Amino acid sequence: MTSEELFREDATLLQCTATVLAVDEAGVVLDRTVFYPLSGGQAGDTGTLTTAGGAVLAIADTRKHKAHPGAIAHVPAAGADLSAFTPGTTVHAQVNAARRLAHRRFHTATHLLCALVPHPVDGCSITETYARLDFHTAEPLDKETLTAGIARLVAGAHPVSHRWISEAELDANPQLVRSMSVQPPRGLGRIRVLDIAGVDLQPCGGTHVGNTAEVGAVIVTKIEKKSAMTRRVVLGFAEPPPAPPRDQASSHGTGSAGP
Ligand SMILES: [Zn+2]
């Protein structure tokens, strides 16, 4: 039981049709999916699965299936009704677009950070609201310098692309592996590498933007000394979060009448 990973080739693809292969305690397994499972520090996608009959299943998270390597489990929201999602059912899978875009922008931004900081990475987390990268070093890092460095690489509009290389090719170029905690998966015969033209090249299975310009206004919000040999860099979006919907804002009633 395996799931075709459509997100590996096209991170902009947000929907697909698929067939339910299994439903178990891990979640709903499809034959193909646009949902990215938690891995490489990047959080899993959320979204919906909808049957032709109109039954909608909210997906709260996506994970690699522990019992079935190669299968992806779509984790239903708590209390969800799974009765319409039996094996063989055709579904429309739809990823939460705003969350995916945040993951893509932050993930590429963490690779820009790797290009700016010449130390090994020993931890990484990419979420919808922030990203953090732990560098194995005793040297202090400067918030303003790194924010300016990211802005320069974003303004440089460097193309971002992926390709697949053989394990032999990776073995011949061990410097490609930047992360101490996450080694690229072996045994599949090929390894995905993420290339930011002229800036950074490393094994990565994550979803990225197509050009560093799309990273937009990402800044270093915090640098923490987690241990004697760990400096944590936290990234955030510089722009304010979107304003609440108009009806919600006005329902609080400020008492002011008219303009
Ligand atoms: Zn990556």
Side-chain angles (χ1 to χ4, degrees), residues 29-167:
V29 179
L30 305 176
D31 63 337
R32 60 207 295 263
T33 188
V34 287
F35 281 66
Y36 181 87
L38 168 73
S39 50
Q42 184 181 328
D45 277 320
T46 63
T48 54
L49 304 182
T50 308
T51 68
V56 180
L57 179 64
I59 300 302
D61 197 2
T62 309
R63 297 294 178 98
K64 289 181 174 178
H65 201 299
K66 286 200 174 72
H68 299 282
I72 291 173
H74 302 74
V75 183
D81 178 8
L82 289 156
S83 58
F85 295 83
T86 51
T89 303
T90 299
V91 298
H92 177 80
Q94 172 75 52
V95 162
N96 177 327
R99 180 177 164 94
R100 164 63 69 81
L101 181 59
H103 290 167
R104 292 172 62 213
R105 291 176 61 193
F106 272 144
H107 201 142
T108 302
T110 63
H111 284 223
L112 297 182
L113 211 46
C114 284
L116 295 167
V117 180
H119 304 298
V121 173
D122 65 3
C124 171
S125 180
I126 293 153
T127 77
E128 197 174 348
T129 51
Y130 71 89
R132 62 171 170 75
L133 214 47
D134 292 341
F135 290 99
H136 186 74
T137 180
E139 286 175 33
L141 298 172
D142 183 67
K143 202 165 106 173
E144 276 67 39
T145 304
L146 291 179
T147 291
I150 290 170
R152 177 172 50 79
L153 294 171
V154 169
H158 304 276
V160 180
S161 62
H162 73 271
R163 62 178 182 270
W164 298 87
I165 64 172
S166 67
E167 292 181 6

Side-chain angles (χ1 to χ4, degrees), residues 108 153 156-162 194-200 209-213:
T108 302
L153 294 171
H158 304 276
V160 180
S161 62
H162 73 271
L194 200 284
D195 187 5
I196 303 178
V199 176
D200 184 71
V209 293
N211 187 292
T212 60

